[in-house]
């Protein structure tokens, strides 16, 4: 009975934290796609999981299971999924020792490019374990919807 109560309390705590940070437990509506996964690196998620036009930053949370020599994040925006996008200068989020880490990504300037249309913000994450070993490299793409508020009805 105590175990069941502890599990229920943990689930409620996680749900409360997710609600306060505008994140869901599964990351929806953000999408995480591993293009390669050979570094000791796992994306835990992004907060928030969707963005509004006035958003200024995004928090990427990841786990290093072994030391990471580099973690670089290349943000981009595009108007449609699979549409053209230009990678922006990277944000350095590493090196990192083993453990859980947060990295804050500025997004205000990127979102200005969408002006008054909805779109998608993406993060191309490149993580490297030992740089001398080409096999210790992971590339992950995280995408989040960007929604603009509906225009006010004119009178």
């Amino acid at each position: 009975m105590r175990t069941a109560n502890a599990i229920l309390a943990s689930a409620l705590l996680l749900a409360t934290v997710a609600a306060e940070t505008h994140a869901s437990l599964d990351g929806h509506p953000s999408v995480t796609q591993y293009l390669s996964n050979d570094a000791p690196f796992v994306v835990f998620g992004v907060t928030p999981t969707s963005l509004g036009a006035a958003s200024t930053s995004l928090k990427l949370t990841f786990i290093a299971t072994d030391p990471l020599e580099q973690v670089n994040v290349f943000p981009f925006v595009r108007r449609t999924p699979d549409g053209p996008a230009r990678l922006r200068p990277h944000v350095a989020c590493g090196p990192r020792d083993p453990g859980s880490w947060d990295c804050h990504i500025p997004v205000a300037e990127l979102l200005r490019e969408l002006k008054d249309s909805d779109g998608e913000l993406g993060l191309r994450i490149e993580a490297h374990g030992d740089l001398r070993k080409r096999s210790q490299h992971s590339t992950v793409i995280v995408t989040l919807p960007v929604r603009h508020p509906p225009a006010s009805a004119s009178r």
Side-chain angles (χ1 to χ4, degrees):
M1 185 69 155
R2 285 187 187 184
T3 303
N5 287 339
I7 291 171
L8 180 59
S10 296
L12 288 173
L13 177 62
L14 281 173
T16 301
V17 169
E20 289 176 0
T21 60
H22 307 288
S24 66
L25 296 177
D26 67 356
H28 181 78
S30 69
V31 176
T32 301
Q33 177 184 15
Y34 285 81
L35 302 181
S36 66
N37 190 19
D38 298 313
F41 171 83
V42 178
V43 170
F44 187 73
V46 293
T47 307
T49 58
S50 65
L51 299 170
S55 298
T56 58
S57 69
L58 175 69
K59 180 172 73 173
L60 166 68
T61 302
F62 62 91
I63 297 168
T65 58
D66 288 318
L68 295 168
E69 290 191 30
Q70 282 184 352
V71 179
N72 293 319
V73 179
F74 298 87
F76 60 89
V77 291
R78 55 188 173 198
R79 295 192 185 280
T80 61
D82 299 323
R86 181 175 55 92
L87 294 178
R88 301 314 191 276
H90 77 278
V91 175
C93 295
R96 293 288 189 237
D97 290 326
S100 177
W101 301 98
D102 292 334
C103 182
H104 294 275
I105 312 296
V107 298
E109 186 176 320
L110 287 165
L111 296 180
R112 277 193 219 95
E113 291 183 27
L114 294 176
K115 296 185 181 149
D116 58 353
S117 67
D118 291 346
E120 183 174 76
L121 181 129
L123 305 175
R124 179 184 175 96
I125 306 158
E126 296 189 5
H128 303 274
D130 187 338
L131 287 173
R132 297 170 293 183
K133 297 179 182 176
R134 292 183 55 90
S135 63
Q136 288 193 7
H137 173 84
S138 289
T139 302
V140 183
I141 304 289
V142 177
T143 54
L144 303 90
V146 177
R147 303 283 182 244
H148 283 72
S152 301
S154 0
R155 294 183 180 201

